[in-house]
Amino acid sequence: MARRREFDEAEVVEKAMHAFWSHGYRSTTPQMLVDATGLSKSSLYATFDNKKGLFLKSLDRYSADQAAFMASMLDSMPLRQGLEALYTELIA
């Protein structure tokens, strides 16, 4: 019987996302991911298979966060005002 995970996967993905964002995919080492997430290499690999799997989960998380941000900007005001606010935020 598999052990129950003792960590929040969403939190781990977010921490990894920031590591990838700071260093880039290629330069982010497995040890950097261990340091950033607080998990052991074996836990990271057991959960995400490999660095690419964790990166893809991080990319999914980033995409979902951005889509939610854009939707909130566009839903909270008239379309023109929402687009102007969205573009202003993206440029900043």
Side-chain angles (χ1 to χ4, degrees):
M1 184 165 119
R3 285 183 48 193
R4 190 175 78 80
R5 289 190 184 142
E6 297 180 11
F7 59 88
D8 181 353
E9 187 174 320
E11 184 179 319
V12 169
V13 169
E14 182 168 344
K15 289 176 179 179
M17 178 181 70
H18 289 288
F20 287 125
W21 196 340
S22 296
H23 305 287
Y25 174 77
R26 192 174 207 151
S27 296
T28 302
T29 65
Q31 187 59 50
M32 288 175 169
L33 293 170
V34 166
D35 294 342
T37 63
L39 295 181
S40 66
K41 282 184 188 177
S42 61
S43 291
L44 285 173
Y45 285 103
T47 305
F48 303 103
D49 295 328
N50 52 34
K51 179 175 137 178
K52 182 179 178 182
L54 181 53
F55 176 75
L56 292 174
K57 285 279 191 182
S58 298
L59 189 57
D60 288 344
R61 169 68 187 266
Y62 177 78
S63 298
D65 288 351
Q66 292 304 305
F69 167 73
M70 287 185 221
S72 71
M73 293 289 279
L74 295 173
D75 290 343
S76 65
M77 51 191 86
L79 181 59
R80 181 180 178 99
Q81 187 180 359
L83 287 171
E84 288 173 352
L86 180 60
Y87 287 131
T88 299
E89 191 66 33
L90 290 173
I91 290 169

